[in-house]
Amino acid sequence: GEIEWLGEHPQLEALVGRPMPMHEWHNSPYLVRGASNLNPGRSPAAAEALARLSNGNGRFVGGQWRYKRPRSDTAPSAIVLGGSEYRVPVEDLFDVDPGEIVVQRVLGSVAGMQERVAFSSIEYSVARWSPPVLLVLVESASPIIDAALQQLRGQLLPRAPVRVVLNHVMVSAMRATQEVERELDEVSTSAGKELLVKQLATELNCFYSMELLLRSPTIREKVLAGELELHGAIMESGTGRVCFLGEHPRQVDIINTVLLQRSIYKDGPMATLPREVWDNPFQPLDKEGGSVAAPSSPSSTAGTKAANPSSQGLEVNVPETPSTAVAVDEINERLRQERQSLAGRK
């Protein structure tokens, strides 16, 4: 009676006929990334804040931590989303003054759904203090990850409040389990596979929480404007040492996908693209008017072009602000290329 989950079609991009970067990310094998020194912070403010956290964690691990009095004369330099199950205060973990960072603790280090208290608290902190860094901190031996993996192995169904927490973590736990069973057969021992599954699930859970945060307009606008950097990190449960993962490897694709979704479904969650959009070949945008030019029919007057209003729904309709212009231009350029490619096939 055991069910083997096959996932989505392996050639879904070819069937749809357009790039699907987030589908590729969610379905391609993921290898343990570990500590990353490739992106210590793009802006000087973010690099300074990350260096302060890293140096403070080094003092904590080395036993040089000392009690500090609360301070109210400085704005927070970072926001840390951590787990409620941690056995050490996050301020002590980074050896910072109380009030120097804003700490939001939730079980599993998952931001959860928008418009909920935990998620809104992070958005409020970003809007209120505009820190240069938002750090998602997960634990290498989190009991929440363990509980999610046990659910996959057939443990009795927990009560509703527990399922609400585990449902988010289950996304990463299932993907990690499937990848180890399918791709990494060279790990021969069961203990080695279990350790690798847990390590993969921990990193993927960190990136999953970052994906949820990037769906927030408040956070996304700050990231696009270069005022905020979203980073991930893993705390080793035994020592308290923090390994920084850097930014999400598909951050640009996540932002582009969210902007495109909001453009398509701006009329509501049940909105759909007009049938004419898929029946007619895509055409490059008219540089003067910004409208989409449809191919002239044999009955039309030679040299004239009829506008196709239905195709305008594919153009990303986002207010042109400095914070969104870059992402919108990238999406529109990709759409132009798709229109030209499909027109050539016709």
Side-chain angles (χ1 to χ4, degrees):
E2 183 179 356
I3 297 177
E4 180 182 358
W5 301 99
L6 301 179
E8 297 179 290
H9 196 287
Q11 301 296 328
L12 186 60
E13 280 190 341
L15 295 175
V16 174
R18 61 179 53 208
M20 300 178 64
M22 293 311 299
H23 167 77
E24 178 188 357
W25 158 251
H26 288 139
N27 292 276
S28 59
Y30 175 81
L31 299 179
V32 176
R33 191 175 187 183
S36 174
N37 296 322
L38 300 179
N39 188 2
R42 288 178 283 107
S43 67
E48 181 182 356
L50 289 170
R52 188 181 300 114
L53 294 176
S54 179
N55 294 336
N57 179 247
R59 292 192 298 271
F60 173 82
V61 174
Q64 301 175 356
W65 171 86
R66 294 183 181 181
Y67 171 77
K68 296 179 176 61
R69 295 183 178 276
R71 296 178 56 182
S72 59
D73 57 342
T74 59
S77 60
I79 301 173
V80 179
L81 172 62
S84 301
E85 67 273 18
Y86 295 172
R87 291 165 291 179
V88 58
V90 177
E91 292 87 351
D92 295 350
L93 193 65
F94 294 109
D95 193 30
V96 296
D97 298 338
E100 191 174 348
I101 62 175
V102 174
V103 179
Q104 178 70 51
R105 299 181 65 163
V106 293
L107 286 172
S109 301
V110 178
M113 305 301 295
Q114 290 182 256
E115 300 182 357
R116 303 296 172 88
V117 175
F119 202 105
S120 298
S121 296
I122 300 174
E123 292 180 310
Y124 175 87
S125 301
V126 170
R128 170 65 176 82
W129 288 290
S130 296
V133 171
L134 171 55
L135 182 68
V136 178
L137 181 65
V138 299
E139 185 181 6
S140 63
S142 171
I144 309 302
I145 297 289
D146 292 338
L149 292 174
Q150 290 173 5
Q151 284 297 305
L152 292 178
R153 300 187 184 105
Q155 191 181 53
L156 294 178
L157 189 67
R159 295 184 176 181
V162 180
R163 293 201 303 270
V164 171
V165 176
L166 295 184
N167 283 345
H168 287 290
V169 184
M170 198 75 70
V171 175
S172 304
M174 179 174 291
R175 178 179 175 184
T177 302
Q178 291 176 345
E179 288 194 8
V180 171
E181 292 178 353
R182 182 176 60 249
E183 303 289 345
L184 302 177
D185 294 334
E186 62 271 14
V187 183
S188 56
T189 65
S190 59
K193 288 186 176 181
E194 183 176 356
L195 182 62
L196 184 56
V197 166
K198 191 170 184 178
Q199 192 173 3
L200 281 173
T202 300
E203 289 196 17
L204 290 171
N205 184 56
C206 180
F207 290 136
Y208 173 75
S209 185
M210 296 167 73
E211 292 175 26
L212 294 179
L213 289 171
L214 286 172
R215 302 189 70 85
S216 162
T218 303
I219 297 174
R220 190 172 60 251
E221 292 291 328
K222 292 285 186 180
V223 172
L224 287 173
E227 300 175 6
L228 176 69
E229 293 187 18
L230 180 59
H231 287 249
I234 298 178
M235 179 191 68
E236 296 179 4
S237 302
T239 63
R241 185 181 302 277
V242 175
C243 299
F244 292 86
L245 301 177
E247 297 180 293
H248 197 291
R250 294 296 184 92
Q251 179 169 276
V252 175
D253 292 328
I254 295 171
I255 294 176
N256 289 346
T257 301
V258 172
L259 289 177
L260 185 58
Q261 289 175 345
R262 291 185 178 275
S263 173
I264 294 175
Y265 299 110
K266 61 183 178 181
D267 296 329
M270 301 302 294
T272 58
L273 291 177
R275 180 178 294 274
E276 292 81 3
V277 172
W278 306 109
D279 291 342
N280 296 332
F282 299 132
Q283 297 296 329
L285 293 177
D286 183 11
K287 296 182 179 179
E288 297 180 358
S291 61
V292 180
S296 57
S297 61
S299 60
S300 62
T301 305
T304 61
K305 293 183 179 180
N308 184 6
S310 62
S311 296
Q312 295 180 6
L314 289 178
E315 182 71 10
V316 177
N317 186 13
V318 182
E320 286 294 331
T321 61
S323 58
T324 60
V326 175
V328 172
D329 290 342
E330 291 180 357
I331 299 175
N332 289 336
E333 179 60 26
R334 182 176 298 176
L335 292 175
R336 292 188 186 95
Q337 294 175 0
E338 293 176 14
R339 290 167 183 154
Q340 294 175 354
S341 176
L342 290 178
R345 296 177 186 176
K346 294 288 184 179

